[in-house]
Amino acid sequence: MQPLWTFSTTDNSIDIVVAFIFAAALFHSVKYLIINNINIQGKIFYSIIAVISLLQIVQVGSQLLYGGPVGVVTFRIWDLINYITAAFMLMATQRI
């Protein structure tokens, strides 16, 4: 099926970088859940980060595979949100 919206090389590269940042956040969350002896609140926090990171990776993958606008926000705003969220997730998993 032909995508309705053609991504530029910049759009694709931004999405791929964001997916790698979320993959790092997912990896660190799962690693800290397995390795560290943390309390229930920490386990819940890391589990939520892992789930959100996985969902964001799926979202980026679907954008790359199928193309098209996502909701009513433009791609630049969506990419900015992805960068901020991914950086926050990575910093939060490193901080705890």
Side-chain angles (χ1 to χ4, degrees), residues 12 16 21 27-28 30 41 43 57 63 69 74-75 77 80 82 84 88 90:
N12 287 334
I16 291 169
I21 295 172
F27 170 76
H28 288 293
V30 172
Q41 184 180 16
K43 289 180 182 180
I57 292 169
Q63 273 188 353
T74 64
F75 288 112
I77 294 172
L80 180 64
N82 279 342
I84 292 169
F88 171 75
L90 185 59

Side-chain angles (χ1 to χ4, degrees), residues 20-78:
F20 281 124
I21 295 172
F22 275 116
L26 177 64
F27 170 76
H28 288 293
S29 296
V30 172
K31 179 179 80 171
Y32 294 147
L33 274 171
I34 294 171
I35 293 174
N36 288 347
N37 185 16
I38 55 178
N39 60 13
I40 297 297
Q41 184 180 16
K43 289 180 182 180
I44 291 170
F45 185 72
Y46 281 130
S47 298
I48 291 171
I49 290 174
V51 168
I52 291 173
S53 296
L54 184 61
L55 290 174
Q56 288 288 339
I57 292 169
V58 169
Q59 178 267 327
V60 168
S62 67
Q63 273 188 353
L64 290 174
L65 290 176
Y66 301 114
V70 180
V72 294
V73 295
T74 64
F75 288 112
R76 297 292 177 220
I77 294 172
W78 189 252

